[in-house]
Amino acid sequence: MKTKLVLTLAVTFSLALSSFGANEKRIDSPDGSMTVTVSDESGKPQYTVSLNGRQVLLPSPLGLKMNFDDLTQGLTLKDCDVRTIEDEYTLRTTKQSQVKVVATEAVCHFTKANANRPSSEQPVLDIIFRVTGRDVAFRYKVYTKRGRGGETMVGVVESEASGFVLPDGTTTFLCPQSKPMGGFARTSPSYETSYTLDDEAGKNGWGEGYTFPCLFKVQAPPTAPAGASNAGKPRNKSNVAPSGAEGGAWILISETGTDGGYVGCRLLNDGGTKYKIGFPQQGELNGVGSTTPAVSLPALTPWRTITIGETLAPIVETTIANDLVQPKYAPSKEYTYGKGSWSWIIGMDSSCNFDEQKRYIDFSAAMGWRSVLIDAFWDRQIGYEKMAELARYGREKGVGIFLWYNSNGAWNDAPQTPIGKMDKSSTRRKEMAWMQQNGILGIKVDFFGGDKQQMMQLYEDILTDANEFGIQCIFHGCTLPRGWERMYPNYVASEAVLASENLHFGQGACDAEARNACTHPFIRNTVGSMDFGGSTLNKHYNADNQHGTTRRTSDVFALATAVLFQSSVQHFAMAPNNLTDAPAWAVQFMKDVPTTWDEVKFIDGYPGKFIITARRSGQQWFIAGINAQQEAVKTKVDLKNFFKEGTVVTVYSDDAQLNGSTQTVTIGRKKVQTCNVVIPENGGIVITGK
């Protein structure tokens, strides 16, 4: 990982910051397309956001309420320090490996008249903005307070006023937050609920708000040209729904930079199109601990992020989650990434035995894959001594091992073992020393207890300890990652989504697979690596491939999701029988598909309906698309944007009956420059060449 940060003053103060009054400041992105206006209307901090001259976030509140001071009212905006920030970094574990950021940063100082303060000119709160042509972010800095009893050095953030007021007519694409201590073994919330799509604003999920990230579609204003509000309707006589908001805008709201110093937050509806930051629910972590973060002063909060585009391209392509953070420690070794197999998704708990895992090691070796993931109960059904033997066998085959662990201390009833190994430092480090001794690549830690500060500290402690022993970390039954790919070099991915296990558990999930898969690239997977565990080539989720839930999607669909779902380590749901019962072209593709990417380009799509996206790994482009609509997607893809003249391109596609096939074409100067794409319901397409 390489990082270069350059700070420069704006060329002139007025270019970056325009004042419309004593208590109102304007912050423009370097390209001038995005504008944030900050003010202290009636003593209350607020902001608006405009894109290309049109307001897409209405006056929205800012501020914090501390246990020693109310920093949401009685404030005066004194001034803003403005500069241009240029940052370059390399990050192999997310959607774009080489990132260059040019942003306007404005540190807006707010004061408050108070007899206990030595000077009313000293800031009590800074609101720090970063603005680019597609992203807006803000965070708070809270200062110490000097009173008669001395200086206040610590505090508690009781609440945030941080809000997002959207225009009337906005529709939502949101994932409801579940209530705590519910679901399987009282393990909720774990960010594993279904999205509601194109829903009206004004709801509050299941009563507990929504998990990040949250997507909104702002409708065209009443003054927009005739026909500008036809978002979602077919165009060009095809069955393709437009990716633009047709005169409106798409807005993705999330947060980043959360570590053990704060809580993980959610989004609450505050009536109509008003949304606000919410802290964890009291019942999380089995009711233990506070829902509010304790901080030492001066304190910086995590970033609130807002990605905005007139099409969905800025949403899909944004790197904001990692742009705003810095590594917290150096990697203890050079970590590697790649593909692996995973018996549990097909064979469940009983498959975690010595013989079956040896067979899966052989399978990974035959596929040329890097690892196997051995799931719950391995400590009982295999044991530590035999696991060390499996690790040695894997090394002989060139295959490493990821091991599953239960995070549990006292926060839910999940009985799966190993348990009681990750919640305490001394026990955890002893376990990790054993892993290091036996060459274990990484861990998958499951069943966390919510978003309170104690849980955020546990994530950070596991990651920090694991890095010392050269171990990579995947989290399941967990919170959303918030810039963790860059913050923690040994972090790989998190579930935080209704993932592939549900395809095994119920036919309803299989029936809805395409709809859900057409949602994640626009929302969940935009802000962080997603450990979904899919891309099966079995017809049934059962070891005999004859019984169990039935897959509705095609083999090409499975190949496409291997590209569409981003995670630097992928444990696919394929099984050893696929070497003989799946199409040879599909097996070969799954052998070759990368898991680390250098670039992503959104082509077309609509959340829950279809998506076509291109990813580049090295010099090779992969164009992948899937469709959840009853009517086939029919569109054209301009191949010359991705492939040079003379490139031999392989096209994987489905017919109307979801029978997959492949063909090769050569990109020419005048011929074969575009591809007529037809994707049937539950089908897919992949185009690749180099």
Side-chain angles (χ1 to χ4, degrees):
M1 183 189 305
K2 298 180 180 178
T3 301
K4 177 183 179 183
L5 183 62
V6 178
L7 306 180
T8 60
L9 293 177
V11 176
T12 67
F13 186 83
S14 60
L15 284 176
L17 181 63
S18 301
S19 175
F20 298 106
N23 299 317
E24 185 175 282
K25 303 295 182 181
R26 170 174 164 162
I27 309 156
D28 292 322
S29 63
D31 67 358
S33 64
M34 194 85 73
T35 299
V36 175
T37 303
V38 188
S39 67
D40 59 1
E41 182 72 27
S42 302
K44 296 180 179 181
Q46 66 177 28
Y47 72 110
T48 64
V49 179
S50 297
L51 176 65
N52 293 325
R54 189 167 68 81
Q55 200 171 86
V56 292
L57 269 184
L58 308 183
S60 301
L62 295 165
L64 302 173
K65 184 173 287 187
M66 305 297 296
N67 64 336
F68 60 84
D69 206 349
D70 186 351
L71 303 179
T72 67
Q73 57 184 347
L75 301 181
T76 299
L77 174 60
K78 297 301 292 185
D79 54 41
C80 294
D81 299 326
V82 179
R83 61 184 177 178
T84 299
I85 289 184
E86 297 181 13
D87 189 11
E88 295 181 37
Y89 63 92
T90 300
L91 192 60
R92 294 184 58 214
T93 55
T94 187
K95 67 178 76 170
Q96 186 168 328
S97 63
Q98 304 287 332
V99 181
K100 182 175 182 179
V101 181
V102 180
T104 302
E105 180 184 85
V107 182
C108 297
H109 305 292
F110 286 82
T111 62
K112 184 174 184 178
N114 191 306
N116 290 327
R117 296 188 183 277
S119 170
S120 61
E121 296 300 312
Q122 294 295 318
V124 297
L125 180 72
D126 288 346
I127 305 179
I128 306 166
F129 286 90
R130 293 272 184 94
V131 186
T132 73
R134 68 183 179 194
D135 300 298
V136 172
F138 64 87
R139 72 190 307 190
Y140 302 102
K141 181 177 181 179
V142 184
Y143 288 89
T144 60
K145 177 180 178 182
R146 185 174 297 278
R148 295 175 182 176
E151 190 169 13
T152 302
M153 299 296 293
V154 297
V156 173
V157 184
E158 293 184 340
S159 63
E160 286 194 28
S162 310
F164 312 88
V165 181
L166 298 152
D168 289 342
T170 294
T171 55
T172 69
F173 301 74
L174 302 175
C175 182
Q177 176 96 348
S178 55
K179 293 183 181 297
M181 305 300 289
F184 170 75
R186 297 197 297 167
T187 56
S188 65
S190 50
Y191 290 56
E192 297 180 31
T193 60
S194 294
Y195 285 86
T196 56
L197 305 178
D198 258 328
D199 201 3
E200 62 183 356
K203 300 179 181 180
N204 202 35
W206 299 343
E208 305 297 339
Y210 301 96
T211 61
F212 285 124
C214 299
L215 181 64
F216 301 88
K217 185 174 71 174
V218 176
Q219 303 295 334
T223 56
S229 59
N230 291 328
K233 295 183 180 180
R235 65 180 181 196
N236 299 331
K237 299 182 180 180
S238 75
N239 295 314
V240 177
S243 62
E246 301 298 324
W250 294 94
I251 300 178
L252 185 77
I253 298 173
S254 192
E255 63 179 1
T256 193
T258 307
D259 58 14
Y262 213 74
V263 296
C265 295
R266 54 195 163 124
L267 198 65
L268 302 175
N269 183 263
D270 201 27
T273 58
K274 301 176 183 178
Y275 293 84
K276 65 180 182 180
I277 292 291
F279 285 170
Q281 305 164 79
Q282 180 56 51
E284 295 176 23
L285 194 61
N286 201 15
V288 175
S290 174
T291 63
T292 55
V295 297
S296 59
L297 302 175
L300 285 168
T301 68
W303 293 93
R304 310 294 166 216
T305 66
I306 310 162
T307 300
I308 306 172
E310 294 175 344
T311 73
L312 283 158
I315 307 297
V316 174
E317 298 171 13
T318 182
T319 56
I320 188 66
N322 291 299
D323 294 347
L324 296 166
V325 300
Q326 294 292 328
K328 296 177 75 70
Y329 50 74
S332 63
K333 69 177 188 181
E334 183 178 354
Y335 291 106
T336 59
Y337 311 96
K339 302 176 286 291
S341 61
W342 176 40
S343 70
W344 184 88
I345 185 62
I346 298 296
M348 296 279 107
D349 292 342
S350 63
S351 72
C352 293
N353 62 73
F354 182 88
D355 291 339
E356 187 69 350
Q357 294 312 308
K358 191 173 181 180
R359 189 166 78 102
Y360 267 79
I361 289 173
D362 291 339
F363 174 50
S364 282
M367 294 292 292
W369 290 353
R370 169 180 178 254
S371 65
V372 294
L373 167 61
I374 303 179
D375 221 282
F377 295 119
W378 63 264
D379 59 326
R380 295 182 181 180
Q381 296 171 188
I382 298 175
Y384 281 80
E385 185 176 339
K386 296 293 284 184
M387 183 58 71
E389 182 180 337
L390 273 178
R392 289 193 296 272
Y393 180 76
R395 284 197 298 275
E396 294 172 0
K397 295 281 189 174
V399 176
I401 290 175
F402 276 73
L403 289 177
W404 186 96
Y405 281 86
N406 193 332
S407 78
N408 221 343
W411 32 89
N412 54 53
D413 301 325
Q416 284 83 354
T417 63
I419 195 170
K421 302 286 189 180
M422 289 291 135
D423 58 312
K424 296 180 180 65
S425 179
S426 59
T427 306
R428 180 171 60 241
R429 292 178 66 84
K430 181 179 178 181
E431 193 79 2
M432 289 176 175
W434 171 83
M435 293 183 222
Q436 185 183 51
Q437 181 182 356
N438 287 281
I440 302 301
L441 290 178
I443 54 177
K444 171 184 170 182
V445 188
D446 208 339
F447 299 132
F448 288 86
D451 285 339
K452 290 181 178 178
Q453 192 168 12
Q454 295 98 314
M455 277 289 99
M456 293 298 159
Q457 290 169 348
L458 180 62
Y459 286 112
E460 186 163 25
D461 289 346
I462 291 173
L463 285 159
T464 303
D465 283 348
N467 180 63
E468 290 190 30
F469 294 96
I471 295 167
Q472 294 176 305
C473 296
I474 299 170
F475 296 130
H476 267 235
C478 60
T479 193
L480 180 78
R482 295 163 166 89
W484 291 357
E485 291 93 341
R486 194 176 180 195
M487 293 165 67
Y488 306 105
N490 57 321
Y491 170 80
V492 174
S494 297
E495 183 183 30
V497 71
L498 200 63
S500 63
E501 62 197 48
N502 297 280
L503 301 170
H504 187 120
F505 293 151
Q507 188 58 46
C510 289
D511 297 343
E513 181 184 7
R515 173 188 180 274
N516 292 332
C518 289
T519 301
H520 304 321
F522 294 107
I523 309 177
R524 163 64 183 89
N525 212 182
T526 62
V527 299
S529 299
M530 182 179 74
D531 192 63
F532 188 86
S535 296
T536 187
L537 292 177
N538 265 24
K539 299 299 183 185
H540 301 274
Y541 282 88
N542 188 280
D544 65 8
N545 204 12
Q546 299 293 323
H547 303 87
T549 54
T550 301
R551 178 164 60 99
R552 302 299 190 197
T553 55
S554 72
D555 290 338
V556 180
F557 181 102
L559 308 191
T561 57
V563 176
L564 291 168
F565 294 170
Q566 183 271 315
S567 175
S568 59
V569 174
Q570 292 265 26
H571 289 110
F572 293 121
M574 289 178 63
N577 53 275
N578 296 149
L579 291 172
T580 56
D581 64 11
W585 50 264
V587 173
Q588 187 61 50
F589 180 92
M590 295 303 293
K591 289 181 178 181
D592 297 337
V593 66
T595 63
T596 54
W597 303 100
D598 295 299
E599 189 176 358
V600 60
K601 292 292 183 183
F602 173 69
I603 296 175
D604 208 350
Y606 195 92
K609 295 182 179 181
F610 79 103
I611 182 168
I612 306 172
T613 292
R615 293 193 191 274
R616 179 176 61 83
S617 180
Q619 299 302 311
Q620 186 172 10
W621 280 100
F622 291 77
I623 299 171
I626 54 176
N627 178 33
Q629 303 171 104
Q630 287 186 354
E631 295 185 9
V633 168
K634 298 178 182 178
T635 189
K636 287 185 178 181
V637 174
D638 194 342
L639 299 180
K640 65 180 183 293
N641 289 336
F642 306 99
F643 306 108
K644 297 178 181 178
E645 181 184 344
T647 303
V648 178
V649 171
T650 302
V651 180
Y652 303 79
S653 59
D654 286 313
D655 63 17
Q657 287 73 45
L658 300 184
N659 297 310
S661 62
T662 68
Q663 61 174 320
T664 59
V665 296
T666 302
I667 305 299
R669 180 174 297 177
K670 295 183 178 179
K671 297 182 179 180
V672 195
Q673 292 186 342
T674 62
C675 180
N676 292 317
V677 171
V678 179
I679 312 176
E681 181 184 15
N682 291 325
I685 191 165
V686 178
I687 306 169
T688 185
K690 59 180 178 180

